[in-house]
Amino acid sequence: MLDKIGIAKRIAQEVRDGMYINLGIGIPTLVANYIPSHLNVVLQSENGLLGIGPFPTEDKVDPDLINAGKQTITMMPGSALFSSAESFAMIRGGHVDLTILGAMEVSEQGDIANWKVPGKMVKGMGGAMDLVASAKHIIVAMQHCSKDGASKLLKECTLPITGTRCVKKIVSDLAVLDVLPQGGFKLLERAPGVSVDEIRNATAGKLIVEGEIKEMIL
Amino acid sequence: MINKVVKDANEAVRDIADNAVLMLGGFGLSGIPENCISALLAKGVKGLTCISNNAGVDDFGIGLLLKTRQVKKMISSYVGENAEFERQLLSGELEVELTPQGTLAERIRAGGAGIPAFYTPAGVGTEVAQGKETREFDGKLYLMERWLRADFSIVKAWKGDTAGNLVYRGTARNFNPMMAAAGKITIAEVEELVPLGELDPNNIHTPGIYVQRIFQGKNYEKRIEQRTIRKI
């Protein structure tokens, strides 16, 4: 089973040279720490920056430089700053190659729910609906099951959805799966020490297992 | 050039009346018009509709105006980080219209650019689409969204000149440029007000035509929500 860092490390393996990438809040933000240093990628921040750098040292903290999670950041050499309208124009226009975000539920059709739990305080969708509606490639970082053991990979989402038919790949604490265009979760890799049966039991939606499923290498 | 300089925040917000529709720049607490928020607090205007990506925190930003119950309605994309906001929302004292962030930015941009509606893929098939027209273009569904305009837009810039030309700094730009264009009256507070000719015309972010009043603010706190430091 993977912890949060394990999920971030596995997702980092999906990153390719030359990509422009938007990282969501939480586990997706951690992915930046594990992108191999020989790859040249540019991280986009929805509040108006291409070229997010590492967190600042104490003397470099600047209140005018934050990421989408409102954390203080730095800029890489060659960065560009712009407005929120420009930022979402590049997202909506399909110019961002990869979007990595968290989810509470994903359906076997690729629907995603990650913004609202009925009965709980609604904080808002932020940029999530814009991102999932337009991204060329979406990888979801999530826990396979809730704390009480209920599957979060479902036939249909039970929570209000953020977007339809958009998730292409899932990296959970148990497995790596593709969401097929015709529907269904195709099992690609198992997390260390996790069996195919355990993954099957934890997946409420349609799970497709073909041939031998290898354990992932981190 | 037309001189748009006013003395301070109090003079800038002098004619903002009860029930006004306001746009307030900023993302989180970055790039918010601190001086004008304080002036609105002191003035005590009520029933405000505030269009702003976020709603501040309990004791800073728009959170200050929520605490004094001066806000009737918020149009925002994300309103976490604020306990008083949550209380008023759950008790029905406060109305909230949640809008996807890119849609919010574009609705404001459309308002300033004279485009009454546009189509976006964001929110198709979700609660956000309820009651809105959807239309198919080239095999994909899109949602019609309307423009947003305000009685007063209140923006914060790094530098500005007496003609109202503005330059922002870092990610404090965010919603400010679109809001500047979408207000009937736009008030700009700047950290540094400079004479004409000092700003490079090649590098103006908001042309002065959008700005009606400008002043140099004071005592900027620039509070940080998530101070995150690298361990070396």
Side-chain angles (χ1 to χ4, degrees):
Chain A
M1 223 167 101
L2 300 179
D3 58 8
K4 287 178 179 179
I5 289 178
I7 294 173
K9 281 184 176 169
R10 180 59 192 80
I11 292 177
Q13 294 176 11
E14 301 293 316
V15 172
R16 300 287 173 266
D17 194 45
M19 277 183 164
Y20 286 88
I21 306 172
N22 181 288
L23 301 176
I25 295 162
I27 296 175
T29 303
L30 296 175
V31 172
N33 301 334
Y34 304 104
I35 297 172
S37 57
H38 66 277
L39 297 183
N40 291 303
V41 299
V42 178
L43 301 180
Q44 201 250 17
S45 196
E46 67 188 18
N47 54 321
L49 169 65
L50 278 170
I52 306 175
F55 294 128
T57 51
E58 186 69 53
D59 58 319
K60 292 281 190 310
V61 167
D62 182 346
D64 291 337
L65 273 182
I66 60 170
N67 64 16
K70 286 103 179 177
Q71 295 171 306
T72 44
I73 51 166
T74 57
M75 290 190 285
M76 298 296 284
S79 283
L81 292 157
F82 37 84
S83 73
S84 303
E86 181 91 49
S87 175
F88 282 93
M90 62 183 74
I91 289 167
R92 217 183 290 106
H95 304 280
V96 176
D97 300 298
L98 175 62
T99 291
I100 302 170
L101 75 177
M104 297 191 275
E105 291 178 352
V106 174
S107 83
E108 63 185 38
Q109 301 298 330
D111 296 353
I112 179 172
N114 71 352
W115 77 283
K116 183 176 180 182
V117 179
K120 286 198 181 168
M121 166 67 183
V122 182
K123 293 188 170 185
M125 65 292 282
M129 284 192 182
D130 309 271
L131 282 160
V132 300
S134 302
K136 281 189 275 191
H137 187 35
I138 297 178
I139 301 178
V140 164
M142 67 188 293
Q143 303 299 321
H144 215 101
C145 296
S146 64
K147 288 197 182 84
D148 56 10
S151 178
K152 297 176 165 198
L153 277 65
L154 305 167
K155 189 166 176 50
E156 300 276 353
C157 290
T158 63
L159 297 169
I161 60 169
T162 310
T164 59
R165 293 175 174 264
C166 52
V167 176
K168 304 281 200 303
K169 189 178 278 272
I170 297 168
V171 178
S172 77
D173 50 339
L174 303 183
V176 180
L177 312 101
D178 269 349
V179 181
L180 300 180
Q182 67 272 28
F185 300 107
K186 182 164 189 211
L187 184 58
L188 301 178
E189 294 174 21
R190 298 176 287 114
V194 176
S195 71
V196 171
D197 279 343
E198 285 174 85
I199 295 162
R200 193 173 276 125
N201 290 335
T203 308
K206 182 181 173 189
L207 185 74
I208 297 155
V209 184
E210 285 172 0
E212 191 204 344
I213 306 299
K214 293 208 168 77
E215 196 170 280
M216 64 180 77
I217 298 159
L218 289 176
Chain B
M1 282 288 169
I2 305 159
N3 187 343
K4 297 171 180 176
V5 178
V6 295
K7 186 166 66 100
D8 57 14
N10 291 328
E11 191 186 337
V13 305
R14 64 186 182 267
D15 50 354
I16 297 183
D18 288 354
N19 303 311
V21 175
L22 309 182
M23 287 184 183
L24 295 121
F27 180 94
L29 300 178
S30 183
I32 62 171
E34 295 181 20
N35 279 226
C36 283
I37 290 172
S38 297
L40 289 169
L41 199 66
K43 191 171 160 64
V45 279
K46 295 212 171 350
L48 300 173
T49 294
C50 293
I51 301 166
S52 175
N53 188 53
N54 311 94
V57 294
D58 275 319
D59 59 347
F60 202 59
I62 294 175
L64 295 168
L65 299 172
L66 287 162
K67 202 178 261 178
T68 49
R69 316 252 181 113
Q70 290 173 256
V71 182
K72 177 177 68 182
K73 180 178 179 179
M74 289 291 314
I75 301 177
S76 307
S77 86
Y78 189 83
V79 293
E81 346 292 352
N82 193 325
E84 175 62 15
F85 182 98
E86 182 171 350
R87 193 197 64 70
Q88 289 184 24
L89 181 63
L90 294 174
S91 69
E93 292 163 63
L94 180 68
E95 195 187 334
V96 179
E97 181 181 328
L98 289 171
T99 304
Q101 192 178 157
T103 299
L104 181 64
E106 193 64 14
R107 290 176 73 191
I108 297 164
R109 198 196 71 81
I115 296 171
F118 59 92
Y119 289 91
T120 175
V124 169
T126 75
E127 283 179 14
V128 166
Q130 284 169 10
K132 290 176 190 158
E133 180 193 325
T134 44
R135 191 164 159 187
E136 192 180 311
F137 294 95
D138 301 327
K140 187 170 167 170
L141 282 174
Y142 296 83
L143 203 61
M144 189 177 83
E145 294 281 1
R146 297 291 310 272
W147 63 5
L148 285 170
R149 293 185 291 178
D151 299 321
F152 293 87
S153 280
I154 307 176
V155 303
K156 153 81 193 339
W158 178 37
K159 290 181 181 180
D161 67 19
T162 56
N165 296 303
L166 304 177
V167 176
Y168 307 95
R169 184 172 176 278
T171 53
R173 188 183 319 186
N174 53 66
F175 282 80
N176 284 297
M178 298 82 75
M179 288 183 171
K184 276 183 210 137
I185 292 177
T186 290
I187 298 164
E189 57 172 87
V190 298
E191 287 174 56
E192 196 184 340
L193 184 63
V194 301
L196 287 184
E198 196 154 305
L199 298 176
D200 179 356
N202 287 299
N203 294 322
I204 300 293
H205 297 141
T206 292
I209 189 169
Y210 298 124
V211 175
Q212 280 69 45
R213 300 172 192 169
I214 188 167
F215 67 94
Q216 181 169 303
K218 56 187 180 198
N219 305 326
Y220 282 105
E221 180 181 336
K222 293 199 183 185
R223 194 182 292 189
I224 293 171
E225 269 181 89
Q226 307 284 341
R227 176 179 287 266
T228 316
I229 307 292
R230 183 189 339 164
K231 297 175 199 84
I232 1 174

